[in-house]
Amino acid sequence: SEVGVLVHNAATAAFLAGYFRTGMPLVEKVITVDGCVKEPKNIIAPIGTPLHDIFSFCGGFTEAPEKIVMGGPMMGVAQFSLDTTVVKQTNALLALGARAAHVRPESVCLKCGKCVDACPMSLAPLFISACVEKRMIEDTEKYHVADCVECGCCSFVCPSRIPLVQYFRFAKSEIWAREREKNAADQAKERFEFK
């Protein structure tokens, strides 16, 4: 938006076309259901449908899932319950069995640079994560942590299994919280000086 361009995915463009034609708001989503389900498929589900109904419609599970991910394997978010419902951002549901959900333990950064090569935003994830580990949150800004799109490529290629995206989310939330506090303090100061 800063350069006058909006980027939308195909589903958003299709919804907008339908909305302008009919006036119908977003009430359903096309969802890819995959993983340890008996019948992986693409379905159309009403917003608000519980996840357990979605998986039942797909024949249930082939094994007890260890993790349910809403979204894709790179950027998806683990869900705590099958009572969670489909929301407007839901585009995929992945049921991960024990083998697929197993996470190897994190080890020390090897400084191999694979995360740098994989980053589509040309960031330096190894330096950002080092700043987060040392709680030097302000220093993450000079490495442009706010430009991270949280695609998960860096975490995926990391041979040390460092959860880089989680580090970046934490850093961004800390920066935004500090900015909110600063803005609130500035507004309070302006009101006090105005009186």
Side-chain angles (χ1 to χ4, degrees):
S1 64
E2 292 174 1
V3 294
V5 176
L6 291 176
V7 178
H8 293 290
N9 61 32
T12 301
F15 161 71
L16 288 173
Y19 175 76
F20 287 123
R21 199 171 51 253
T22 65
M24 183 68 151
L26 183 64
V27 295
E28 61 188 17
K29 288 292 294 188
V30 175
I31 303 169
T32 299
V33 183
D34 204 354
C36 62
V37 292
K38 290 182 181 168
E39 301 168 23
K41 59 178 89 176
N42 292 326
I43 63 170
I44 298 173
I47 291 176
T49 304
L51 301 189
H52 57 77
D53 288 348
I54 302 283
F55 287 113
S56 293
F57 182 76
C58 293
F61 301 109
T62 57
E63 63 177 288
E66 289 285 318
K67 185 185 287 188
I68 301 292
V69 177
M70 186 180 291
M74 302 292 277
M75 297 177 69
V77 177
Q79 302 301 301
F80 290 101
S81 168
L82 288 175
D83 292 328
T84 304
T85 60
V86 171
V87 295
K88 68 179 184 173
Q89 295 88 356
T90 306
N91 59 4
L93 292 172
L94 297 174
L96 302 177
R99 185 167 179 235
H102 174 71
V103 178
R104 290 192 340 226
E106 178 183 342
S107 60
V108 177
C109 178
L110 304 173
K111 308 284 189 278
C112 65
K114 288 184 178 183
C115 58
V116 176
D117 293 338
C119 181
M121 300 302 294
S122 301
L123 302 177
L126 66 155
F127 295 129
I128 298 170
S129 64
C131 290
V132 173
E133 284 179 345
K134 295 174 185 170
R135 298 295 191 251
M136 297 165 46
I137 302 301
E138 295 82 17
D139 289 351
T140 63
E141 290 184 89
K142 75 179 178 187
Y143 293 112
H144 306 283
V145 70
D147 292 343
C148 174
V149 295
E150 299 177 16
C151 65
C153 292
C154 57
S155 295
F156 184 78
V157 300
C158 180
S160 298
R161 297 291 181 229
I162 299 170
L164 296 164
V165 174
Q166 284 81 353
Y167 285 11
F168 306 157
R169 285 179 182 160
F170 172 76
K172 289 196 277 190
S173 67
E174 287 292 306
I175 290 167
W176 294 333
R178 291 174 188 182
E179 285 178 7
R180 282 193 300 272
E181 288 174 10
K182 183 182 178 296
N183 291 340
D186 290 346
Q187 288 174 354
K189 183 180 176 183
E190 286 176 15
R191 275 182 277 177
F192 178 74
E193 289 175 352
F194 180 72
K195 292 179 182 179

PDB file of all heavy atoms in Angstrom, residues 17-56:
ATOM      1  N   ALA A  17     -15.235 -10.273  -6.582  1.00  0.00           N
ATOM      2  CA  ALA A  17     -16.065 -10.278  -7.792  1.00  0.00           C
ATOM      3  C   ALA A  17     -17.488 -10.707  -7.452  1.00  0.00           C
ATOM      4  O   ALA A  17     -18.465 -10.067  -7.875  1.00  0.00           O
ATOM      5  CB  ALA A  17     -15.454 -11.204  -8.843  1.00  0.00           C
ATOM      6  N   GLY A  18     -17.618 -11.761  -6.670  1.00  0.00           N
ATOM      7  CA  GLY A  18     -18.955 -12.224  -6.259  1.00  0.00           C
ATOM      8  C   GLY A  18     -19.678 -11.222  -5.380  1.00  0.00           C
ATOM      9  O   GLY A  18     -20.888 -11.016  -5.500  1.00  0.00           O
ATOM     10  N   TYR A  19     -18.930 -10.597  -4.502  1.00  0.00           N
ATOM     11  CA  TYR A  19     -19.534  -9.611  -3.594  1.00  0.00           C
ATOM     12  C   TYR A  19     -20.102  -8.416  -4.367  1.00  0.00           C
ATOM     13  O   TYR A  19     -21.219  -7.971  -4.118  1.00  0.00           O
ATOM     14  CB  TYR A  19     -18.498  -9.140  -2.574  1.00  0.00           C
ATOM     15  CG  TYR A  19     -19.021  -8.033  -1.682  1.00  0.00           C
ATOM     16  CD1 TYR A  19     -19.902  -8.332  -0.648  1.00  0.00           C
ATOM     17  CD2 TYR A  19     -18.655  -6.720  -1.886  1.00  0.00           C
ATOM     18  CE1 TYR A  19     -20.405  -7.329   0.163  1.00  0.00           C
ATOM     19  CE2 TYR A  19     -19.147  -5.709  -1.088  1.00  0.00           C
ATOM     20  CZ  TYR A  19     -20.024  -6.016  -0.058  1.00  0.00           C
ATOM     21  OH  TYR A  19     -20.517  -5.019   0.734  1.00  0.00           O
ATOM     22  N   PHE A  20     -19.330  -7.904  -5.322  1.00  0.00           N
ATOM     23  CA  PHE A  20     -19.811  -6.762  -6.088  1.00  0.00           C
ATOM     24  C   PHE A  20     -20.982  -7.141  -6.991  1.00  0.00           C
ATOM     25  O   PHE A  20     -21.833  -6.309  -7.285  1.00  0.00           O
ATOM     26  CB  PHE A  20     -18.679  -6.131  -6.913  1.00  0.00           C
ATOM     27  CG  PHE A  20     -17.710  -5.361  -6.073  1.00  0.00           C
ATOM     28  CD1 PHE A  20     -16.364  -5.676  -6.088  1.00  0.00           C
ATOM     29  CD2 PHE A  20     -18.138  -4.329  -5.246  1.00  0.00           C
ATOM     30  CE1 PHE A  20     -15.473  -4.962  -5.295  1.00  0.00           C
ATOM     31  CE2 PHE A  20     -17.250  -3.623  -4.454  1.00  0.00           C
ATOM     32  CZ  PHE A  20     -15.909  -3.935  -4.477  1.00  0.00           C
ATOM     33  N   ARG A  21     -21.047  -8.408  -7.391  1.00  0.00           N
ATOM     34  CA  ARG A  21     -22.133  -8.859  -8.245  1.00  0.00           C
ATOM     35  C   ARG A  21     -23.404  -9.130  -7.443  1.00  0.00           C
ATOM     36  O   ARG A  21     -24.502  -8.796  -7.872  1.00  0.00           O
ATOM     37  CB  ARG A  21     -21.690 -10.116  -9.004  1.00  0.00           C
ATOM     38  CG  ARG A  21     -22.492 -10.441 -10.221  1.00  0.00           C
ATOM     39  CD  ARG A  21     -21.899 -11.576 -11.075  1.00  0.00           C
ATOM     40  NE  ARG A  21     -21.574 -12.783 -10.330  1.00  0.00           N
ATOM     41  CZ  ARG A  21     -20.332 -13.179 -10.033  1.00  0.00           C
ATOM     42  NH1 ARG A  21     -19.296 -12.468 -10.410  1.00  0.00           N
ATOM     43  NH2 ARG A  21     -20.126 -14.279  -9.359  1.00  0.00           N
ATOM     44  N   THR A  22     -23.255  -9.723  -6.247  1.00  0.00           N
ATOM     45  CA  THR A  22     -24.434 -10.173  -5.493  1.00  0.00           C
ATOM     46  C   THR A  22     -24.649  -9.455  -4.167  1.00  0.00           C
ATOM     47  O   THR A  22     -25.747  -9.482  -3.626  1.00  0.00           O
ATOM     48  CB  THR A  22     -24.314 -11.674  -5.186  1.00  0.00           C
ATOM     49  OG1 THR A  22     -23.198 -11.881  -4.300  1.00  0.00           O
ATOM     50  CG2 THR A  22     -24.135 -12.487  -6.450  1.00  0.00           C
ATOM     51  N   GLY A  23     -23.593  -8.883  -3.589  1.00  0.00           N
ATOM     52  CA  GLY A  23     -23.704  -8.260  -2.274  1.00  0.00           C
ATOM     53  C   GLY A  23     -23.590  -9.250  -1.126  1.00  0.00           C
ATOM     54  O   GLY A  23     -23.700  -8.878   0.039  1.00  0.00           O
ATOM     55  N   MET A  24     -23.368 -10.529  -1.431  1.00  0.00           N
ATOM     56  CA  MET A  24     -23.265 -11.572  -0.405  1.00  0.00           C
ATOM     57  C   MET A  24     -21.926 -11.467   0.311  1.00  0.00           C
ATOM     58  O   MET A  24     -20.873 -11.483  -0.327  1.00  0.00           O
ATOM     59  CB  MET A  24     -23.397 -12.946  -1.066  1.00  0.00           C
ATOM     60  CG  MET A  24     -23.373 -14.080  -0.089  1.00  0.00           C
ATOM     61  SD  MET A  24     -24.857 -14.034   0.908  1.00  0.00           S
ATOM     62  CE  MET A  24     -25.060 -15.729   1.288  1.00  0.00           C
ATOM     63  N   PRO A  25     -21.927 -11.360   1.637  1.00  0.00           N
ATOM     64  CA  PRO A  25     -20.653 -11.294   2.373  1.00  0.00           C
ATOM     65  C   PRO A  25     -19.962 -12.652   2.387  1.00  0.00           C
ATOM     66  O   PRO A  25     -20.516 -13.659   1.943  1.00  0.00           O
ATOM     67  CB  PRO A  25     -21.087 -10.881   3.788  1.00  0.00           C
ATOM     68  CG  PRO A  25     -22.485 -11.371   3.897  1.00  0.00           C
ATOM     69  CD  PRO A  25     -23.079 -11.287   2.518  1.00  0.00           C
ATOM     70  N   LEU A  26     -18.753 -12.666   2.913  1.00  0.00           N
ATOM     71  CA  LEU A  26     -17.974 -13.905   2.984  1.00  0.00           C
ATOM     72  C   LEU A  26     -18.599 -14.819   4.035  1.00  0.00           C
ATOM     73  O   LEU A  26     -18.591 -14.513   5.229  1.00  0.00           O
ATOM     74  CB  LEU A  26     -16.517 -13.590   3.365  1.00  0.00           C
ATOM     75  CG  LEU A  26     -15.569 -14.767   3.419  1.00  0.00           C
ATOM     76  CD1 LEU A  26     -15.415 -15.402   2.035  1.00  0.00           C
ATOM     77  CD2 LEU A  26     -14.214 -14.344   3.946  1.00  0.00           C
ATOM     78  N   VAL A  27     -19.168 -15.928   3.588  1.00  0.00           N
ATOM     79  CA  VAL A  27     -19.827 -16.860   4.506  1.00  0.00           C
ATOM     80  C   VAL A  27     -19.258 -18.267   4.418  1.00  0.00           C
ATOM     81  O   VAL A  27     -19.622 -19.131   5.206  1.00  0.00           O
ATOM     82  CB  VAL A  27     -21.360 -16.910   4.264  1.00  0.00           C
ATOM     83  CG1 VAL A  27     -21.997 -15.568   4.596  1.00  0.00           C
ATOM     84  CG2 VAL A  27     -21.684 -17.325   2.836  1.00  0.00           C
ATOM     85  N   GLU A  28     -18.379 -18.516   3.435  1.00  0.00           N
ATOM     86  CA  GLU A  28     -17.795 -19.844   3.299  1.00  0.00           C
ATOM     87  C   GLU A  28     -16.380 -19.737   2.762  1.00  0.00           C
ATOM     88  O   GLU A  28     -16.001 -18.724   2.176  1.00  0.00           O
ATOM     89  CB  GLU A  28     -18.654 -20.726   2.379  1.00  0.00           C
ATOM     90  CG  GLU A  28     -18.800 -20.193   0.983  1.00  0.00           C
ATOM     91  CD  GLU A  28     -19.808 -20.963   0.140  1.00  0.00           C
ATOM     92  OE1 GLU A  28     -20.633 -21.709   0.712  1.00  0.00           O
ATOM     93  OE2 GLU A  28     -19.772 -20.821  -1.087  1.00  0.00           O
ATOM     94  N   LYS A  29     -15.611 -20.788   2.996  1.00  0.00           N
ATOM     95  CA  LYS A  29     -14.206 -20.825   2.564  1.00  0.00           C
ATOM     96  C   LYS A  29     -13.918 -22.141   1.845  1.00  0.00           C
ATOM     97  O   LYS A  29     -14.440 -23.183   2.220  1.00  0.00           O
ATOM     98  CB  LYS A  29     -13.268 -20.729   3.774  1.00  0.00           C
ATOM     99  CG  LYS A  29     -13.203 -19.376   4.424  1.00  0.00           C
ATOM    100  CD  LYS A  29     -12.550 -18.340   3.560  1.00  0.00           C
ATOM    101  CE  LYS A  29     -11.100 -18.658   3.339  1.00  0.00           C
ATOM    102  NZ  LYS A  29     -10.331 -17.639   2.663  1.00  0.00           N
ATOM    103  N   VAL A  30     -13.052 -22.064   0.850  1.00  0.00           N
ATOM    104  CA  VAL A  30     -12.517 -23.271   0.225  1.00  0.00           C
ATOM    105  C   VAL A  30     -11.308 -23.669   1.059  1.00  0.00           C
ATOM    106  O   VAL A  30     -10.400 -22.860   1.286  1.00  0.00           O
ATOM    107  CB  VAL A  30     -12.103 -23.008  -1.240  1.00  0.00           C
ATOM    108  CG1 VAL A  30     -11.440 -24.250  -1.831  1.00  0.00           C
ATOM    109  CG2 VAL A  30     -13.295 -22.579  -2.069  1.00  0.00           C
ATOM    110  N   ILE A  31     -11.317 -24.902   1.531  1.00  0.00           N
ATOM    111  CA  ILE A  31     -10.277 -25.364   2.457  1.00  0.00           C
ATOM    112  C   ILE A  31      -9.667 -26.665   1.929  1.00  0.00           C
ATOM    113  O   ILE A  31     -10.379 -27.586   1.544  1.00  0.00           O
ATOM    114  CB  ILE A  31     -10.858 -25.617   3.868  1.00  0.00           C
ATOM    115  CG1 ILE A  31     -11.535 -24.361   4.396  1.00  0.00           C
ATOM    116  CG2 ILE A  31      -9.790 -26.102   4.827  1.00  0.00           C
ATOM    117  CD1 ILE A  31     -12.353 -24.607   5.641  1.00  0.00           C
ATOM    118  N   THR A  32      -8.348 -26.726   1.942  1.00  0.00           N
ATOM    119  CA  THR A  32      -7.636 -27.967   1.631  1.00  0.00           C
ATOM    120  C   THR A  32      -7.443 -28.730   2.933  1.00  0.00           C
ATOM    121  O   THR A  32      -6.899 -28.189   3.894  1.00  0.00           O
ATOM    122  CB  THR A  32      -6.262 -27.661   1.000  1.00  0.00           C
ATOM    123  OG1 THR A  32      -6.465 -26.939  -0.212  1.00  0.00           O
ATOM    124  CG2 THR A  32      -5.498 -28.940   0.713  1.00  0.00           C
ATOM    125  N   VAL A  33      -7.924 -29.961   2.977  1.00  0.00           N
ATOM    126  CA  VAL A  33      -7.788 -30.809   4.167  1.00  0.00           C
ATOM    127  C   VAL A  33      -6.845 -31.945   3.794  1.00  0.00           C
ATOM    128  O   VAL A  33      -7.076 -32.673   2.821  1.00  0.00           O
ATOM    129  CB  VAL A  33      -9.150 -31.367   4.618  1.00  0.00           C
ATOM    130  CG1 VAL A  33      -8.996 -32.177   5.896  1.00  0.00           C
ATOM    131  CG2 VAL A  33     -10.153 -30.243   4.815  1.00  0.00           C
ATOM    132  N   ASP A  34      -5.753 -32.104   4.567  1.00  0.00           N
ATOM    133  CA  ASP A  34      -4.736 -33.094   4.206  1.00  0.00           C
ATOM    134  C   ASP A  34      -4.056 -33.605   5.472  1.00  0.00           C
ATOM    135  O   ASP A  34      -4.330 -33.161   6.569  1.00  0.00           O
ATOM    136  CB  ASP A  34      -3.713 -32.452   3.267  1.00  0.00           C
ATOM    137  CG  ASP A  34      -2.993 -33.472   2.397  1.00  0.00           C
ATOM    138  OD1 ASP A  34      -3.186 -34.687   2.588  1.00  0.00           O
ATOM    139  OD2 ASP A  34      -2.219 -33.045   1.533  1.00  0.00           O
ATOM    140  N   GLY A  35      -3.151 -34.511   5.278  1.00  0.00           N
ATOM    141  CA  GLY A  35      -2.421 -35.088   6.403  1.00  0.00           C
ATOM    142  C   GLY A  35      -2.934 -36.489   6.696  1.00  0.00           C
ATOM    143  O   GLY A  35      -3.266 -37.249   5.781  1.00  0.00           O
ATOM    144  N   CYS A  36      -3.044 -36.827   7.950  1.00  0.00           N
ATOM    145  CA  CYS A  36      -3.473 -38.175   8.336  1.00  0.00           C
ATOM    146  C   CYS A  36      -5.004 -38.268   8.387  1.00  0.00           C
ATOM    147  O   CYS A  36      -5.588 -38.634   9.391  1.00  0.00           O
ATOM    148  CB  CYS A  36      -2.821 -38.607   9.644  1.00  0.00           C
ATOM    149  SG  CYS A  36      -3.236 -37.597  11.076  1.00  0.00           S
ATOM    150  N   VAL A  37      -5.634 -37.902   7.258  1.00  0.00           N
ATOM    151  CA  VAL A  37      -7.084 -38.044   7.123  1.00  0.00           C
ATOM    152  C   VAL A  37      -7.360 -39.125   6.084  1.00  0.00           C
ATOM    153  O   VAL A  37      -6.568 -39.345   5.178  1.00  0.00           O
ATOM    154  CB  VAL A  37      -7.766 -36.711   6.715  1.00  0.00           C
ATOM    155  CG1 VAL A  37      -7.683 -35.695   7.828  1.00  0.00           C
ATOM    156  CG2 VAL A  37      -7.184 -36.157   5.447  1.00  0.00           C
ATOM    157  N   LYS A  38      -8.507 -39.785   6.219  1.00  0.00           N
ATOM    158  CA  LYS A  38      -8.821 -40.888   5.317  1.00  0.00           C
ATOM    159  C   LYS A  38      -9.076 -40.409   3.896  1.00  0.00           C
ATOM    160  O   LYS A  38      -8.716 -41.086   2.938  1.00  0.00           O
ATOM    161  CB  LYS A  38     -10.031 -41.663   5.843  1.00  0.00           C
ATOM    162  CG  LYS A  38      -9.721 -42.452   7.094  1.00  0.00           C
ATOM    163  CD  LYS A  38     -10.903 -43.248   7.560  1.00  0.00           C
ATOM    164  CE  LYS A  38     -10.529 -43.995   8.851  1.00  0.00           C
ATOM    165  NZ  LYS A  38     -11.702 -44.564   9.494  1.00  0.00           N
ATOM    166  N   GLU A  39      -9.719 -39.258   3.745  1.00  0.00           N
ATOM    167  CA  GLU A  39     -10.047 -38.748   2.415  1.00  0.00           C
ATOM    168  C   GLU A  39      -9.579 -37.304   2.275  1.00  0.00           C
ATOM    169  O   GLU A  39     -10.376 -36.379   2.411  1.00  0.00           O
ATOM    170  CB  GLU A  39     -11.552 -38.827   2.182  1.00  0.00           C
ATOM    171  CG  GLU A  39     -12.137 -40.221   2.287  1.00  0.00           C
ATOM    172  CD  GLU A  39     -13.658 -40.199   2.336  1.00  0.00           C
ATOM    173  OE1 GLU A  39     -14.267 -39.222   1.864  1.00  0.00           O
ATOM    174  OE2 GLU A  39     -14.220 -41.170   2.862  1.00  0.00           O
ATOM    175  N   PRO A  40      -8.285 -37.071   1.994  1.00  0.00           N
ATOM    176  CA  PRO A  40      -7.818 -35.698   1.790  1.00  0.00           C
ATOM    177  C   PRO A  40      -8.554 -35.075   0.601  1.00  0.00           C
ATOM    178  O   PRO A  40      -8.761 -35.735  -0.418  1.00  0.00           O
ATOM    179  CB  PRO A  40      -6.334 -35.849   1.487  1.00  0.00           C
ATOM    180  CG  PRO A  40      -5.976 -37.232   1.915  1.00  0.00           C
ATOM    181  CD  PRO A  40      -7.218 -38.043   1.826  1.00  0.00           C
ATOM    182  N   LYS A  41      -8.985 -33.823   0.746  1.00  0.00           N
ATOM    183  CA  LYS A  41      -9.731 -33.188  -0.337  1.00  0.00           C
ATOM    184  C   LYS A  41      -9.821 -31.691  -0.128  1.00  0.00           C
ATOM    185  O   LYS A  41      -9.493 -31.185   0.947  1.00  0.00           O
ATOM    186  CB  LYS A  41     -11.127 -33.781  -0.462  1.00  0.00           C
ATOM    187  CG  LYS A  41     -11.975 -33.647   0.813  1.00  0.00           C
ATOM    188  CD  LYS A  41     -13.370 -34.194   0.656  1.00  0.00           C
ATOM    189  CE  LYS A  41     -13.412 -35.658   0.997  1.00  0.00           C
ATOM    190  NZ  LYS A  41     -14.750 -36.255   0.967  1.00  0.00           N
ATOM    191  N   ASN A  42     -10.291 -31.011  -1.147  1.00  0.00           N
ATOM    192  CA  ASN A  42     -10.651 -29.602  -1.057  1.00  0.00           C
ATOM    193  C   ASN A  42     -12.155 -29.545  -0.842  1.00  0.00           C
ATOM    194  O   ASN A  42     -12.911 -30.223  -1.549  1.00  0.00           O
ATOM    195  CB  ASN A  42     -10.289 -28.846  -2.342  1.00  0.00           C
ATOM    196  CG  ASN A  42      -8.797 -28.745  -2.535  1.00  0.00           C
ATOM    197  OD1 ASN A  42      -8.038 -28.633  -1.584  1.00  0.00           O
ATOM    198  ND2 ASN A  42      -8.356 -28.793  -3.778  1.00  0.00           N
ATOM    199  N   ILE A  43     -12.564 -28.738   0.121  1.00  0.00           N
ATOM    200  CA  ILE A  43     -13.994 -28.636   0.429  1.00  0.00           C
ATOM    201  C   ILE A  43     -14.389 -27.170   0.533  1.00  0.00           C
ATOM    202  O   ILE A  43     -13.542 -26.292   0.686  1.00  0.00           O
ATOM    203  CB  ILE A  43     -14.343 -29.368   1.748  1.00  0.00           C
ATOM    204  CG1 ILE A  43     -13.628 -28.705   2.939  1.00  0.00           C
ATOM    205  CG2 ILE A  43     -13.988 -30.844   1.667  1.00  0.00           C
ATOM    206  CD1 ILE A  43     -14.110 -29.202   4.278  1.00  0.00           C
ATOM    207  N   ILE A  44     -15.678 -26.929   0.462  1.00  0.00           N
ATOM    208  CA  ILE A  44     -16.240 -25.606   0.740  1.00  0.00           C
ATOM    209  C   ILE A  44     -16.974 -25.738   2.066  1.00  0.00           C
ATOM    210  O   ILE A  44     -17.881 -26.567   2.193  1.00  0.00           O
ATOM    211  CB  ILE A  44     -17.195 -25.150  -0.379  1.00  0.00           C
ATOM    212  CG1 ILE A  44     -16.437 -25.029  -1.692  1.00  0.00           C
ATOM    213  CG2 ILE A  44     -17.847 -23.818  -0.005  1.00  0.00           C
ATOM    214  CD1 ILE A  44     -17.327 -24.744  -2.897  1.00  0.00           C
ATOM    215  N   ALA A  45     -16.573 -24.941   3.057  1.00  0.00           N
ATOM    216  CA  ALA A  45     -17.156 -25.039   4.398  1.00  0.00           C
ATOM    217  C   ALA A  45     -17.635 -23.668   4.864  1.00  0.00           C
ATOM    218  O   ALA A  45     -16.966 -22.660   4.622  1.00  0.00           O
ATOM    219  CB  ALA A  45     -16.132 -25.582   5.384  1.00  0.00           C
ATOM    220  N   PRO A  46     -18.781 -23.627   5.530  1.00  0.00           N
ATOM    221  CA  PRO A  46     -19.250 -22.356   6.084  1.00  0.00           C
ATOM    222  C   PRO A  46     -18.308 -21.849   7.185  1.00  0.00           C
ATOM    223  O   PRO A  46     -17.751 -22.643   7.946  1.00  0.00           O
ATOM    224  CB  PRO A  46     -20.617 -22.698   6.676  1.00  0.00           C
ATOM    225  CG  PRO A  46     -21.011 -24.003   6.075  1.00  0.00           C
ATOM    226  CD  PRO A  46     -19.736 -24.707   5.742  1.00  0.00           C
ATOM    227  N   ILE A  47     -18.114 -20.563   7.236  1.00  0.00           N
ATOM    228  CA  ILE A  47     -17.339 -19.975   8.336  1.00  0.00           C
ATOM    229  C   ILE A  47     -18.064 -20.290   9.636  1.00  0.00           C
ATOM    230  O   ILE A  47     -19.287 -20.186   9.721  1.00  0.00           O
ATOM    231  CB  ILE A  47     -17.168 -18.455   8.125  1.00  0.00           C
ATOM    232  CG1 ILE A  47     -16.244 -18.220   6.936  1.00  0.00           C
ATOM    233  CG2 ILE A  47     -16.636 -17.777   9.378  1.00  0.00           C
ATOM    234  CD1 ILE A  47     -16.053 -16.777   6.559  1.00  0.00           C
ATOM    235  N   GLY A  48     -17.315 -20.706  10.645  1.00  0.00           N
ATOM    236  CA  GLY A  48     -17.906 -21.082  11.928  1.00  0.00           C
ATOM    237  C   GLY A  48     -18.053 -22.578  12.107  1.00  0.00           C
ATOM    238  O   GLY A  48     -18.429 -23.047  13.174  1.00  0.00           O
ATOM    239  N   THR A  49     -17.736 -23.364  11.082  1.00  0.00           N
ATOM    240  CA  THR A  49     -17.818 -24.822  11.182  1.00  0.00           C
ATOM    241  C   THR A  49     -16.700 -25.328  12.087  1.00  0.00           C
ATOM    242  O   THR A  49     -15.533 -25.002  11.876  1.00  0.00           O
ATOM    243  CB  THR A  49     -17.670 -25.476   9.792  1.00  0.00           C
ATOM    244  OG1 THR A  49     -18.649 -24.942   8.917  1.00  0.00           O
ATOM    245  CG2 THR A  49     -17.812 -26.982   9.879  1.00  0.00           C
ATOM    246  N   PRO A  50     -17.019 -26.143  13.100  1.00  0.00           N
ATOM    247  CA  PRO A  50     -15.963 -26.694  13.963  1.00  0.00           C
ATOM    248  C   PRO A  50     -15.048 -27.628  13.165  1.00  0.00           C
ATOM    249  O   PRO A  50     -15.479 -28.321  12.242  1.00  0.00           O
ATOM    250  CB  PRO A  50     -16.725 -27.478  15.031  1.00  0.00           C
ATOM    251  CG  PRO A  50     -18.125 -26.978  14.965  1.00  0.00           C
ATOM    252  CD  PRO A  50     -18.353 -26.520  13.559  1.00  0.00           C
ATOM    253  N   LEU A  51     -13.778 -27.652  13.543  1.00  0.00           N
ATOM    254  CA  LEU A  51     -12.811 -28.480  12.831  1.00  0.00           C
ATOM    255  C   LEU A  51     -13.159 -29.958  12.897  1.00  0.00           C
ATOM    256  O   LEU A  51     -12.928 -30.693  11.930  1.00  0.00           O
ATOM    257  CB  LEU A  51     -11.401 -28.242  13.378  1.00  0.00           C
ATOM    258  CG  LEU A  51     -10.861 -26.819  13.299  1.00  0.00           C
ATOM    259  CD1 LEU A  51      -9.386 -26.792  13.683  1.00  0.00           C
ATOM    260  CD2 LEU A  51     -11.074 -26.198  11.942  1.00  0.00           C
ATOM    261  N   HIS A  52     -13.747 -30.413  14.009  1.00  0.00           N
ATOM    262  CA  HIS A  52     -14.077 -31.836  14.104  1.00  0.00           C
ATOM    263  C   HIS A  52     -15.114 -32.221  13.051  1.00  0.00           C
ATOM    264  O   HIS A  52     -15.094 -33.332  12.524  1.00  0.00           O
ATOM    265  CB  HIS A  52     -14.521 -32.240  15.517  1.00  0.00           C
ATOM    266  CG  HIS A  52     -15.687 -31.502  16.062  1.00  0.00           C
ATOM    267  ND1 HIS A  52     -16.990 -31.752  15.692  1.00  0.00           N
ATOM    268  CD2 HIS A  52     -15.746 -30.493  16.956  1.00  0.00           C
ATOM    269  CE1 HIS A  52     -17.803 -30.941  16.346  1.00  0.00           C
ATOM    270  NE2 HIS A  52     -17.065 -30.158  17.120  1.00  0.00           N
ATOM    271  N   ASP A  53     -16.007 -31.301  12.670  1.00  0.00           N
ATOM    272  CA  ASP A  53     -16.967 -31.593  11.603  1.00  0.00           C
ATOM    273  C   ASP A  53     -16.275 -31.680  10.243  1.00  0.00           C
ATOM    274  O   ASP A  53     -16.633 -32.507   9.397  1.00  0.00           O
ATOM    275  CB  ASP A  53     -18.059 -30.523  11.558  1.00  0.00           C
ATOM    276  CG  ASP A  53     -19.024 -30.617  12.731  1.00  0.00           C
ATOM    277  OD1 ASP A  53     -18.998 -31.640  13.455  1.00  0.00           O
ATOM    278  OD2 ASP A  53     -19.802 -29.668  12.931  1.00  0.00           O
ATOM    279  N   ILE A  54     -15.277 -30.824  10.033  1.00  0.00           N
ATOM    280  CA  ILE A  54     -14.530 -30.848   8.769  1.00  0.00           C
ATOM    281  C   ILE A  54     -13.820 -32.196   8.618  1.00  0.00           C
ATOM    282  O   ILE A  54     -13.899 -32.844   7.567  1.00  0.00           O
ATOM    283  CB  ILE A  54     -13.487 -29.710   8.722  1.00  0.00           C
ATOM    284  CG1 ILE A  54     -14.135 -28.342   8.885  1.00  0.00           C
ATOM    285  CG2 ILE A  54     -12.615 -29.807   7.474  1.00  0.00           C
ATOM    286  CD1 ILE A  54     -14.837 -27.808   7.686  1.00  0.00           C
ATOM    287  N   PHE A  55     -13.138 -32.636   9.678  1.00  0.00           N
ATOM    288  CA  PHE A  55     -12.404 -33.896   9.600  1.00  0.00           C
ATOM    289  C   PHE A  55     -13.357 -35.093   9.507  1.00  0.00           C
ATOM    290  O   PHE A  55     -13.054 -36.078   8.821  1.00  0.00           O
ATOM    291  CB  PHE A  55     -11.439 -34.035  10.770  1.00  0.00           C
ATOM    292  CG  PHE A  55     -10.239 -33.133  10.655  1.00  0.00           C
ATOM    293  CD1 PHE A  55     -10.049 -32.079  11.538  1.00  0.00           C
ATOM    294  CD2 PHE A  55      -9.306 -33.318   9.646  1.00  0.00           C
ATOM    295  CE1 PHE A  55      -8.956 -31.243  11.415  1.00  0.00           C
ATOM    296  CE2 PHE A  55      -8.212 -32.497   9.517  1.00  0.00           C
ATOM    297  CZ  PHE A  55      -8.036 -31.438  10.405  1.00  0.00           C
ATOM    298  N   SER A  56     -14.507 -35.014  10.150  1.00  0.00           N
ATOM    299  CA  SER A  56     -15.501 -36.087  10.013  1.00  0.00           C
ATOM    300  C   SER A  56     -15.982 -36.189   8.576  1.00  0.00           C
ATOM    301  O   SER A  56     -16.151 -37.287   8.030  1.00  0.00           O
ATOM    302  CB  SER A  56     -16.700 -35.829  10.927  1.00  0.00           C
ATOM    303  OG  SER A  56     -16.323 -35.934  12.266  1.00  0.00           O
TER     304      SER A  56
END
